[in-house]
Structures are given as structure tokens and as C-alpha cells.
Amino acid sequence: MFPAIAVAQALSRKDPDATILFAGRREGIEAKTVASYGMRFTAIPAAPLYTDQLWRNWTLPLVLGAALWQSWRLIDRFKPDVVFGTGGYVSVPLIAAAGLARLPVVLQEQNLLPGRATRALARFAKQVATAYPESSRYLHAPTVVTGTPVRTEFWRQKENFPSRPQTILVLGGSQGAHRINQAVADALPTLLQRPGLKIVHQTGEREIGTMQSVKAMLPTPLTPRYEPFAFAGDLADRIRAADLVVSRAGASTLSEVSAIGVPMVLIPYPYAGGHQRLNVAPYESAGAAIVIPDDETDGGRLLREVTSILDDPVRYRKMVDAMRELGRPFAAEEVVRLIEGAARQH
């Protein structure tokens, strides 16, 4: 969703008269998020494919049939020059309908290992924009490494870094990450003994109360330097204000933080096909991030890894430089060029 919004922003900047329509799930957060950016949205039916519980797929043929029909009607009414997809099961009927209508299709894949939807739909695509060169081996379509598009608020890199991190931002995602939250809770009392160190922590809605209780139990002089919050609309500003980010390794988070250029401690989510473990490899090998396996994540390990950065200004500077090299803040503009090229060939 966010990469699609980023591409729409870049397209609108280049061509203010461009007409853009988003399609997505009615029951998801897409509609509200797209509307918050002042963009048009239409809903189409969608249902996931369950590979581990096949009995749950009994409604899939009905939903997919309705979705294909609505997608076909949407294309007939809207008459797009290009259809752009960012993967996920909600994109399947629309991209399939566009392919059958012989409309130009451009796809964008955020993960090193493309998802099932992108692999299936690539046959319809003129080109697939990828974040990693390794993705091309899984796709039956021409690929271009553009990076993952990020919204305009993430385009400006952080300019001034201290010699050592002074503000650490912990990102657990909007749903939170219990293992990360627990590790932070255990490491906090020791980390905050360092003069001037501040920790800002996105806990997720479910655990904001727990982490506020953790804050209340800290010694009084330390409490102002720990700031838990459930969710924030100014995430780009919070990342830019941070000197080090501790996070899961979702594709959007990696692209947004690297676009701003802040080094990371990454704790890949071990499930969902393990794609986050693949996503972190370039960041770890470049020295831009430290990776902690999920099953080794606790307060002690987090404390050791963060302390190793705090105590080594030379290493920290190398991490900053490496992340700034990896960041692609203008990936959306590169994807727009692919979309324009596909439209010209139609």
C-alpha cells in the first residue's frame, strides 16, 4: 500500500493532471490511508489463499470470480493507460483482468523473495521493479532494480549524526512486536543509565499499557528519557530524529529507514515464509545493520548489541555511511519512469 502511495505521489508531482485510482480491500486499512493522502479509492473483493489450512479456501472460487468481474468492469469504466501492482492477494484479480485486457502492467516487489502473487502475475507484466537484484531469478518477466518506493516525507536524508547514538527509536509496527517489547523492557534500566540517552518506542496498541507500566517502574530520573507510544502519523520525523533504529525487517520499514539513512539493529520476523531473514542480508553484509535472530532476542542480547555500537564511534560512523549508500529515497521516481515507458509502448 505505502509503495503504491509513494508512486502516486511521484507521478502527481511529475504530472499534476494524471488521474490515479487505487483499488484494494474494503475491510482493510487501505481505504482510510489512501483517503488521508487525498487520493481516490475503490474497493474490490479479496480473499487470501491458505496453503496450510486448505479447508479455509472454500469461499475462494466465489470471491475470486466476483473480484475478476468487478475488476473487469472497473477497467472498462476507468480505462487506465497502465495498471500498477504491488503484490498481495488483493492485486491478483485486477492484474489478471488487466493482463487479459492486454493493458500494460508494471509490478513492484519489495521483498528479496517475491511473494506468490508477484510470481504468478509477473507473466502479465511489462516490467517488475524490485528492491533486490536477486529477485529476478524468481520472476518470469524483465526486472529493474529501483529500490522500494517511499512516500515523499521519507525523501530527505538525515544530515547531522552525533559521534555516538543519543536517540534510539524502537519500531514494533502498528501491531507491536511482543518479543522486542519484552527485550526493551529488560534492557531499559541499564541502557538509560547512560547520560543523555533517550529511547523512543513504538509499542503497538496491544502493549502500550504494559510498556507505560514499565516506564512507571523506572527510577524517577530516568522516566523522561523513555517515551513509549502506540502509533504515530509522523513516523518519518521520528526516524529522522533518531540516531539508531531497532526494528523488525519488513520491506517498507527497511526502505523508509534506509532512505533517511539511519543505521539499524534488525530482528527479522521468523514466520511468513521467512522473507524478512532474506531481506536483511544486504544491510548486514554492508555493515549498515546488526541482525539478531528472533529466537535469540532478549534483554541481554539487545543490550550487548546496542552497547557495542554506543561504545564504538568508528563502527557507528561506518554504519551511518553504509546505510546512506544503501538508501534509495527516490525509488518512486524510478518506478514512475517504468510506468511511463510501459504506457508509451501500449
Side-chain angles (χ1 to χ4, degrees):
M1 174 184 57
F2 287 137
I5 290 173
V7 169
Q9 288 178 322
L11 184 59
S12 296
R13 284 166 63 98
K14 191 168 186 180
D15 181 5
D17 296 325
T19 303
I20 300 168
L21 176 65
F22 282 82
R25 295 181 303 151
R26 176 178 289 107
E27 67 275 15
I29 65 170
E30 291 97 324
K32 288 183 179 179
T33 305
V34 170
S36 71
Y37 282 88
M39 299 175 182
R40 294 172 58 191
F41 178 87
T42 187
I44 56 175
L49 173 65
Y50 297 100
T51 58
D52 54 345
Q53 296 175 305
L54 296 178
W55 61 268
R56 298 182 65 182
N57 295 316
W58 69 273
T59 62
L60 186 61
L62 296 175
V63 175
L64 188 57
L68 279 167
W69 172 246
Q70 288 196 26
S71 297
W72 188 270
R73 291 183 62 196
L74 176 62
I75 286 171
D76 184 59
R77 290 197 311 270
F78 189 64
K79 294 181 170 51
D81 297 312
V82 179
V83 177
F84 175 66
T86 56
Y89 61 86
V90 70
S91 67
V92 170
L94 187 60
I95 299 300
L100 293 172
R102 299 191 179 280
L103 286 169
V105 169
V106 175
L107 301 178
Q108 194 278 322
E109 176 56 51
Q110 304 177 61
N111 295 301
L112 188 149
L113 176 62
R116 289 195 301 267
T118 302
R119 296 199 300 271
L121 298 171
R123 68 190 71 244
F124 296 117
K126 291 282 187 183
Q127 287 181 311
V128 182
T130 67
Y132 302 91
E134 295 88 347
S135 301
S136 62
R137 71 182 69 159
Y138 304 101
L139 299 169
H140 298 291
T143 60
V144 179
V145 181
T146 61
T148 297
V150 295
R151 291 161 286 167
T152 53
E153 54 263 43
F154 294 91
W155 286 13
R156 179 169 59 85
Q157 284 195 325
K158 181 181 174 75
E159 295 179 357
N160 299 313
F161 285 87
S163 60
R164 307 170 192 263
Q166 296 176 351
T167 300
I168 298 174
L169 174 64
V170 181
L171 298 176
S174 59
Q175 300 301 313
H178 176 74
R179 189 181 291 271
I180 295 177
N181 290 349
Q182 187 59 57
V184 170
D186 293 342
L188 265 177
T190 304
L191 278 175
L192 291 178
Q193 294 294 330
R194 290 176 171 265
L197 184 67
K198 180 179 181 181
I199 298 176
V200 183
H201 182 186
Q202 183 186 42
T203 66
E205 292 286 352
R206 287 178 294 190
E207 298 199 10
I208 181 63
T210 300
M211 298 311 295
Q212 285 173 335
S213 297
V214 169
K215 176 175 180 173
M217 295 174 65
L218 291 170
T220 301
L222 304 184
T223 55
R225 292 194 281 115
Y226 175 58
E227 179 191 336
F229 66 97
F231 180 79
D234 60 345
L235 189 58
D237 291 336
R238 288 178 180 262
I239 294 172
R240 202 170 284 111
D243 307 313
L244 181 69
V245 172
V246 177
S247 176
R248 288 295 194 195
S252 289
T253 299
L254 287 172
S255 59
E256 289 167 354
V257 176
S258 65
I260 292 175
V262 180
M264 305 182 77
V265 174
L266 293 168
I267 304 165
Y269 185 63
Y271 306 110
H275 66 266
Q276 288 196 10
R277 288 179 294 202
L278 295 174
N279 288 347
V280 302
Y283 297 89
E284 184 178 31
S285 62
I290 291 174
V291 177
I292 307 175
D294 182 81
D295 59 2
E296 297 178 18
T297 299
D298 57 24
R301 179 67 183 273
L302 181 63
L303 180 62
R304 288 195 301 275
E305 300 294 358
V306 171
T307 299
S308 73
I309 300 170
L310 295 174
D311 288 343
D312 192 340
V314 174
R315 182 189 192 187
Y316 176 61
R317 186 67 240 180
K318 289 180 178 178
M319 292 181 73
V320 169
D321 293 340
M323 188 61 88
R324 289 172 68 87
E325 285 293 319
L326 288 173
R328 304 189 73 151
F330 304 115
E333 295 185 326
E334 296 185 47
V335 175
V336 165
R337 283 192 282 272
L338 299 183
I339 291 172
E340 291 175 332
R344 285 193 297 269
Q345 294 172 19
H346 182 54

